Amino acid sequence: NAGVTQTPKFQVLKTGQSMTLQCAQDMNHNSMYWYRQDPGMGLRLIYYSASEGTTDKGEVPNGYNVSRLNKREFSLRLESAAPSQTSVYFCASKGDPVYGYTFGSGTRLTVV
Amino acid sequence: GDSVTQMEGPVTLSEEAFLTINCTYTATGYPSLFWYVQYPGEGLQLLLKATKADDKGSNKGFEATYRKETTSFHLEKGSVQVSDSAVYFCALSDRFGTGGFKTIFGAGTRLFVKA
């Protein structure tokens, strides 16, 4: 099925550990995004990539880095995890700007 | 700046009741408007959209009309089912800078439908 695939689905990290969240889409979309979702705060944009080879900061980029590996893949890296990064992370992609996003199923991350 | 405001939840309804979830927006340009739905443990799914004033988006019995005069995009369904229990997000997509687009999400409204 066409869509956005995220891995892993669940992860528990200790404070200070690093990890990379993977995201891949097979819809030939140019734009890809990373959001975090926290209770009472809705969705907040971390980083986005408008096209292959470009990345830009969103609303809450601190503590994160991204890589647009190719047109299909967009990864999010936490270099030194903190408890404040406990959240559900969603990757999304979009083709034509007037159409909506396609979201992945999310990664639930807990930092202890 | 652009913003989206939607009614606070949770909204609790009985099966077959009429649903309205209010959404209003502020935007500097002429945004596209969206409703997304999130079922428990899943990502957001696009429910419907409207790209210009007076457009009506519809899907799965849900509908919303883009009202420029009231800057609103209220979500309605005539008869809800238990399976409609989810969180609903209103969103807008608008141009910014030179050719870029940004999307603003509302905080979400949780709907519970009782049998």
Side-chain angles (χ1 to χ4, degrees):
Chain A
N1 289 337
V4 177
T5 303
Q6 289 182 238
T7 56
K9 291 191 181 303
F10 300 94
Q11 184 72 49
V12 179
L13 291 178
K14 294 183 178 179
T15 297
Q17 287 186 316
S18 63
M19 80 162 293
T20 300
L21 282 63
Q22 306 287 352
C23 175
Q25 53 94 6
D26 58 5
M27 296 168 288
N28 203 36
H29 286 168
N30 285 321
S31 302
M32 297 185 73
Y33 305 80
W34 277 105
Y35 283 91
R36 59 179 289 173
Q37 185 179 32
D38 301 292
M41 304 197 73
L43 284 159
R44 292 183 292 171
L45 181 63
I46 304 170
Y47 269 95
Y48 67 99
S49 171
S51 60
E52 186 179 354
T54 69
T55 60
D56 285 287
K57 295 178 180 179
E59 183 185 354
V60 288
N62 291 344
Y64 305 95
N65 285 299
V66 290
S67 296
R68 183 75 183 265
L69 304 171
N70 47 56
K71 192 170 186 179
R72 290 187 65 247
E73 299 174 285
F74 188 40
S75 62
L76 177 72
R77 183 161 178 83
L78 287 69
E79 290 291 351
S80 178
S84 61
Q85 294 178 305
T86 293
S87 187
V88 181
Y89 291 85
F90 289 101
C91 178
S93 70
K94 186 162 60 173
D96 190 303
V98 300
Y99 294 101
Y101 291 105
T102 300
F103 281 88
S105 58
T107 296
R108 187 174 295 276
L109 175 67
T110 302
V111 183
V112 298
Chain B
D2 293 2
S3 66
V4 174
T5 303
Q6 53 181 117
M7 62 189 289
E8 288 190 26
V11 174
T12 302
L13 296 173
S14 297
E15 209 166 22
E16 299 184 3
F18 185 86
L19 168 71
T20 300
I21 300 178
N22 290 337
C23 172
T24 57
Y25 69 91
T26 59
T28 53
Y30 300 93
S32 296
L33 301 175
F34 306 86
W35 277 101
Y36 289 85
V37 59
Q38 184 179 31
Y39 299 103
E42 299 183 11
L44 280 71
Q45 302 173 25
L46 180 64
L47 181 60
L48 54 83
K49 64 175 174 62
T51 58
K52 61 183 187 297
D54 300 325
D55 269 2
K56 178 184 283 188
S58 61
N59 186 24
K60 299 181 181 179
F62 292 90
E63 59 182 34
T65 301
Y66 190 142
R67 302 284 189 200
K68 196 171 191 316
E69 64 276 13
T70 55
T71 62
S72 65
F73 192 55
H74 304 322
L75 182 68
E76 297 181 335
K77 187 176 186 183
S79 176
V80 294
Q81 305 300 311
V82 172
S83 57
D84 293 326
S85 297
V87 181
Y88 293 83
F89 292 88
C90 184
L92 69 81
S93 179
D94 197 6
R95 290 188 180 275
F96 76 101
T98 54
F101 282 83
K102 67 179 176 182
T103 298
I104 307 292
F105 287 89
T109 302
R110 185 175 296 276
L111 170 67
F112 291 105
V113 180
K114 303 179 296 185

